[in-house]
Amino acid sequence: MYSFEGDFRSSPNVSLGGRSGTDRLTKANLLQKAHEERQKREEARQRLRSAIILQSSVRSFLQRQKVKNFLREKFEEKKKIGQNLVELTRLLCFFYDEKKVPDLNNLTWLLQQILKSTPDWTIQCSAFLRKQILVKTCRALQSIPPTHMATPLRAIEILTQAKYWGDDYIIMWGLLVNNGFFKSMLRVFDVKVPHDLEPSSGHNPHLVLANSLLQLLRLPMTSQEAANPEFQIDSKISDIFEKFFTDVLSHRMNQQIYNFLLPSLRNMEIINIASLNHLERKISTGNTGLKPNISLLASLVKLLDGKLEQWMNPTTILTIVDWLVPTLPRVASDDAESDDDDYVEVVQPETEIETSLIVGDCRSFLNSDNFIKFCTRCLDERDVSLLGEITFHLLVNMKMQIHTNRLLYTLALSTSFVKKLWCLVLNSRTYTRHSEKSVASIRALLDGGHMTKSSMHEILSRLITFSSLFAHNLLSLHDVDFPGDDSPHSHNLFKSHELVTIVTTLRDVSLSLIKLVLPQTRSLHGMDAREIFQQLSGGTSLNFQWGDSYMGYAAMAFKSCSRLLNHLHTRHTRRPFTPESAWSSNAWLIGDDRTKYLSSNWRRRKMKQDNLAAHMADPLDEDLPMTASEAQQLTVLTNLPFVVPFQTRVGIFTNMLSQDRLSRESDRDVIMHDAGLAESSKVIHVKVRRDFLYEDSFNDLSSHNAPDLHRTLRVTFINQAGAEEAGYGAGVTREFYQQLVRTSFQPGRGLFKLTDDRELYPNPNADHVVENMSQHFYFLGRLLGKMIYEGMQIELPFAAFFLCKLLQPKNADVDINHLQSLDPDFYRNLMFLRSHEGDVADLDLNFTVVDDKFGATRVTELVPGGHDLPVTNDNRVRYIHLLSNYKLNVQMRVAVDRFRDGLSNVIPLEWLRMFDHRECQTIISGAEVPINVDDMKDNAAYSGGYTPEHPTIEIFWNVLRSFTEDEKRKFLLFVTSCSRPPLLGFKEMHPPFCIHNGGTPDRLPTSSTCLNMVRVPSYPDVEAMRDKLLYCINSQSGFELS
């Protein structure tokens, strides 16, 4: 280009680096560009096609409307000049639009003309046109005003007669039913029939119309009978019945259907065996188009009421009920005894039936005598499975209580059903991921639950149902009926070997379910391990929000199985029926190192929960996490403690107590307090007079003066002169405990009594012996808790029923079977009364109990008006249970509750519930096991110049080994005040067993039980040692022999 500056040629810009990277065209860029261009062209073609289709549709619609309007005008012209009806029918079928009022009027006019010459019209008009007119007539009934319904109804009644259709009769009805015939008839019922009309309304003028409509409604179901008298349901009529179930029986329940339609259909027996058999086959194969709902269930209940005897085989009815019963919602009455409020209250129109009324009818049907007898006759495996599913829904989804539902109660007490249900549990089969062959579902569950969801649901539902029903069945059995053998008095539900199978199977299943709900190898489904543990071990309802996962059912199955196992184990503690090895599992062992870790965390959480660990400064306690493994072990200890060996549980319990004592004690504070240099809030100082030991202790150790009994106790005895006795420290405190326990629980004080087996239980008349009876029992409960807390063993033989009551939650009562430990003779008399073959009324008993309180007789009524209510053969079972409840629970409720409160003030009952009543007695008094002299020797201490090699010590051990077991126990009682060895061996004895030099051989051995010390003089030979020791232990004396 020319430049006015004189530079008429521009220098070319030459890039020596070649083409830039951004402008370089690569293969990938080229392919991407080509793809985008193709995409644009395809989008353009698609827009063009869409535009063509849209334009075509609009033109087609406009053209059809134009043609229809032309035909309407032509119809009106022919209508005026009276052309033949066939031509008018053809025209109307083409242009008819049910949304247009003029077309509805034309249809009505045409029907009126057809009705005037029906025979001629049916002959001249083709079957196709007749079907079209009927279809349009059916649809018109859903929209025309009630005042214009007469003509269409009359047309349907006349034009559907079998004589006009021949072989097409059923086909015609199938077409009408598929085009809303039943829905149209329901609308007619809704607007024409009064809400309160019933089949037995007498001469009500509306009844004639209602019966006419009813006859019209039932025509499709009777069409095959009209066409073929040998009625056998086929696919055509089955479709009609299925549509009837869908449109009529599944329709939202209103007043007309409930009050008139269903009762009338029941009287007509419109639902027959063949139709229900067909529905059952459809349900079993999963080919039905029906959807289960509460209205269908309620309708079938209405139709089948009183008709069940027609069915010889209950499988059909049970299949349908099992399919429909999950639609039963929970109503408010179901939640009266539940914590959940998850039912939904729906506001319904006035013409509709309340859901609670429908549910009530369904529940009444399920609880009726006819249905229960129908279900429980000749049950095969299929029927048991179906009935089990129904029971599962009532128990789990509706949360019904067995004792409040007659069906559940009857099934629970049905020996044959419970046994067959257990066989079904054992025989359930499934396929796993690791095997192409079917295996037992129980086996697959024990191997980790690798099975299909349907198989998992099946086995879990059966486990829940069986465990719940069998547990309730056990409540009705007395111990005398439960030997489990072939004796004449044995209950014939399960024999001993079958019970062993049940125990071992449910034990292993429960442990597997714990691992399934609390897995260590995968996520806990968004839930914290501690939260799952609390739901599994607490009394609250399960609240697993895991969508459609089966984990919620697995948790329910665990609670049901563990509850049944606890029922059986409690029965076993009273009347053994299985080997002890059947309860424990070698697959669930907790090592010593794990025991200390587990007990430490459990104790810290419990203390934090009860606000008793505020003094603990460990920052880790602010949020102590719980691992899945720890949650598994704690779940076992709180729900199935008997699975873990007793020694392991004792180790966990003593570790928790020991750790708690150490956490509360400061050696420096205690030493400074003992030296008089400081006052410590962690030491309780008590001064007691020996002659008023109980009274002074009751005052100084009351909850007001000593609110925290976990603290260290320091005791000073006051002699008769009022001066303090010499001696201070742990030895004196131990002596104080021993003497206080002896004087507190002795029957002479009036707070406790002895059974015939010389076992202690609260005196029912204690309120007449001492004032403030409840405070005394609270004090004694705290005293026993303190003894256990300090690891001391004292021989206090408590009655079994009393220990069972202590280990149960508050307000929980023990049953009649525990009466054996209170009064065996009284229990046998009640069992005689139960089985008395004569007339019980001859015994002249009534519903009262007579108490003799210190010579004063008082009559107490077991029920209101019991004095005038005689005991008869019909009510004797109730009398027996009321009387035993009075003896075991009512008359000593306050004493037991206050004693339990005092015990739990020192030791959490959650810890004690790791043990049954026998083991709890062992915790208190020690184990009835042989005394191991070698263990005593290995853990003994020596003082006063004695050593393990001293000749006197060697003579002592030789003599002690030569003693009989009874003599060894007397010796241990002489030294420690308890004839039983420590639970975990002499290494756990505190203070340790000690042998002190007792001086010259002319002296007798003496003991200091407060120090677990025996003073043995230096006897020269075995004979002297043996004679002196036997003399002392048989004299039952200690200090006074010094």
Side-chain angles (χ1 to χ4, degrees), residues 256-328:
Q256 291 89 341
I257 296 176
Y258 185 83
N259 293 328
F260 177 80
L261 184 59
L262 291 178
S264 299
L265 291 174
R266 179 185 60 200
N267 296 334
M268 294 179 176
E269 298 185 358
I270 196 69
I271 299 299
N272 49 42
I273 298 176
S275 61
L276 289 185
N277 285 339
H278 179 75
L279 178 60
E280 184 263 334
R281 287 193 297 270
K282 288 266 191 177
I283 294 173
S284 300
T285 57
N287 294 327
T288 179
L290 277 171
K291 292 184 179 180
N293 61 76
I294 181 63
S295 296
L296 179 56
L297 176 60
S299 299
L300 290 176
V301 164
K302 279 278 190 180
L303 295 175
L304 295 175
D305 189 18
K307 306 291 185 180
L308 290 176
E309 62 274 4
Q310 299 177 5
W311 276 265
M312 298 301 296
N313 184 0
T315 303
T316 298
I317 302 299
L318 289 179
T319 301
I320 297 174
V321 173
D322 174 46
W323 181 61
L324 291 174
V325 76
T327 63
L328 273 176

Side-chain angles (χ1 to χ4, degrees), residues 874-1023:
D874 295 332
N875 62 18
R876 58 180 168 183
V877 174
R878 184 188 181 200
Y879 169 76
I880 290 171
H881 284 274
L882 287 174
L883 186 56
S884 62
N885 178 66
Y886 178 82
K887 291 288 187 181
L888 289 168
N889 303 306
V890 175
Q891 65 177 353
M892 59 183 77
R893 188 181 303 281
V894 175
V896 173
D897 287 347
R898 292 299 291 162
F899 192 95
R900 184 194 297 112
D901 293 341
L903 179 62
S904 62
N905 180 259
V906 182
I907 296 180
L909 292 180
E910 180 184 355
W911 297 356
L912 283 176
R913 291 189 182 117
M914 285 192 296
F915 311 100
D916 58 42
H917 71 272
R918 301 172 305 175
E919 296 167 339
C920 191
Q921 183 65 65
T922 302
I923 295 292
I924 297 171
S925 303
E928 288 281 0
V929 296
I931 297 175
N932 190 337
V933 177
D934 292 332
D935 182 41
M936 184 187 299
K937 178 181 178 182
D938 293 339
N939 295 279
Y942 305 94
S943 61
Y946 279 158
T947 62
E949 295 79 16
H950 195 282
T952 302
I953 296 301
E954 293 181 353
I955 293 174
F956 170 80
W957 290 118
N958 290 333
V959 169
L960 192 58
R961 287 192 184 94
S962 67
F963 280 178
T964 64
E965 189 63 32
D966 183 60
E967 291 170 342
K968 292 177 185 177
R969 291 189 180 280
K970 289 181 179 180
F971 172 77
L972 195 60
L973 178 66
F974 173 73
V975 179
T976 67
S977 76
C978 183
S979 64
R980 301 174 183 178
L983 293 177
L984 299 179
F986 284 92
K987 67 178 182 298
E988 298 294 333
M989 179 174 282
H990 181 77
F993 173 72
C994 180
I995 305 176
H996 185 77
N997 193 332
T1000 58
D1002 59 330
R1003 300 175 62 87
L1004 288 171
T1006 59
S1007 65
S1008 296
T1009 56
C1010 56
L1011 299 174
N1012 295 330
M1013 175 187 291
V1014 58
R1015 298 179 180 86
V1016 180
S1018 54
Y1019 298 117
D1021 52 38
V1022 172
E1023 289 76 10

Side-chain angles (χ1 to χ4, degrees), residues 37 39 354 364 428 943:
E37 291 176 351
Q39 188 71 23
E354 293 183 0
S364 298
S428 299
S943 61

